Amino acid sequence: MARETPEKQLFVCENCGYSSVKWLGRCPECGSWDSMLEKTILPKTPPKGQMACKTSSKEGEVPLPLSAISSKDRAIRIPVGIDEFDRVLGGGIVPGSLILIGGEPGIGKSTILLQALTILSERGLNVLYISGEESPAQIRLRAERLGAHQGSLLILCESNMELVLKAVLDTGPDILAVDSIQTLFDPQIGSLPGSMNQVRNVTSALMHMAKGLKIPIFIVGHVTKDGAIAGPRVLEHLVDTVLYFEGDRTHSFRILRTVKNRFGPTHEIGVFEMTDSGLSEVSNPSNIFLEQRGKASPGSVILPCIEGSRPILVEIQALVNQSYLAMPRRTTAGVDTNRLALLTAVAEKHLDITLYDKDIFINVVGGFRLSEPAADLPLICAILSSLIEKPLGTRIAVFGEVGLTGEVRPVGQMQLRLNEAARLGITRCILPEPGGQKLNVPANMDVINISSIQGIVNFMDL
Ligand code: TYD
Ligand code: MG
């Protein structure tokens, strides 16, 4: 029987999926060179995932008044039982949600997923783990290392989206995980696995599956440091929850951060430590980040920062040296370089110090990354302390936002920061005037409120 639409030969950009009937040296859509590959395009059939998983509920088929829509699903969450993992999910897994776990290769995405999935399968849930990266034997080896090989977790090593869909419909899992989205491909689409087009397509098929079958789906996605590779960054708006694994692979600490969550708070973090038998939870991160701190040394300052709903004490280190370069070095780990440039300018202007001929190196201990403005004042204190080679003391914590005119502004959650500092034996805190916030100063805590950065000069004997 003749086909309605015959096969076609097309040139398809492997980067963005743009197609053209003739070969082009440069893709007019995404601008990449030599990316057009010849492809045979099969006649179009509706994407199988969308057909198979068409939502059957009345809601969504016809417009309904908001008041008539049930919210009964809202309360149902499946807690995993790993507290740090549940925290970043907003209390547990929401059925029907699509959760992306992103991060650099080798950071621990497959490890945390396998740990969580085996716990869930041991609890009697039907869990299907699809891997396009490892063989069943490799997964078994990893599970043995994690001490989690006894469960009934179902493993499928497959990267063809059509076969994945078939397996899902055959096994009817309660929870599905795909590792990784870059390996999955839809044979109906001409581009290579991992290309923008493929990644977007398979994700939207998984989204339809999650909503249609009302099962939670985890997707693993690799990101490079700049997020450049086709993948998670372009998917953030498609999925319900985005978790990013951060941390320096040379450190054993890993931070799982909620970047987006349609069903819970964002900016929550879960702290883990990579051990020989997988990721173990760190429920008291302040202790860990301050653990290796010895005697007071110049350039070291403690900051009580807030991550999500949690206060964590971290150590900021600065090293200020005479520079012999035309352009002095400004190197940071864990702090934005532009923020450092701004703060050094403010310090030079308002503290009457010379930094333009100094190399400045900043490090946040333990591979932690700071994004809060509360880190401004401790950064300036650390730079100053290294410059004049005077330690600030081991029992002092500093926080506050600094403005361009040198004013020190209040930051959020000052009470929480003070309490956490006091809990860890800090006896003196340098902080902004509280503004509208009412502070209960913990016992044995000496609180110094300053309103401009000139205020720190008094404590550092400039
Ligand atoms: P993995 O989860 O495979 O990373 P990803 O999926 O993000 O690419 O983690 C791999 C790294 O973790 C690897 O360097 C080995 C290390 N690791 C341990 O240190 N202990 C363990 O128990 C496991 C399973 C991995
Ligand atoms: Mg992996």
Side-chain angles (χ1 to χ4, degrees), residues 74-89:
R74 192 189 53 184
I76 310 166
R77 276 183 194 268
I78 310 163
V80 179
I82 304 175
D83 287 347
E84 297 292 303
F85 193 59
D86 285 336
R87 184 203 311 276
V88 290
L89 289 170

Side-chain angles (χ1 to χ4, degrees), residues 110 133-134 142 179 222:
S110 307
E133 300 199 335
E134 288 161 307
R142 186 198 291 266
D179 187 357
H222 298 293

Side-chain angles (χ1 to χ4, degrees), residues 292-311:
Q292 295 98 358
R293 201 161 184 260
K295 63 177 177 36
S297 32
S300 156
V301 173
I302 297 175
L303 154 74
C305 67
I306 300 281
E307 289 293 344
S309 56
R310 240 188 341 180

Side-chain angles (χ1 to χ4, degrees), residues 121-191:
S121 70
E122 276 163 15
R123 227 189 278 153
L125 289 167
N126 185 10
V127 186
L128 176 59
Y129 177 59
I130 292 167
S131 176
E133 300 199 335
E134 288 161 307
S135 68
Q138 283 170 323
I139 297 170
R140 162 88 196 186
L141 274 178
R142 186 198 291 266
E144 280 176 13
R145 200 173 166 189
L146 303 174
H149 52 286
Q150 304 297 349
S152 54
L153 176 67
L154 292 171
I155 308 284
L156 173 70
C157 294
E158 182 53 68
S159 48
N160 183 333
M161 190 62 197
E162 288 183 352
L163 299 179
V164 167
L165 278 170
K166 186 173 171 306
V168 171
L169 294 175
D170 288 349
T171 52
D174 300 317
I175 296 175
L176 176 70
V178 175
D179 187 357
S180 67
I181 196 74
Q182 276 102 345
T183 54
L184 221 54
F185 71 94
D186 183 346
Q188 306 267 349
I189 295 168
S191 26

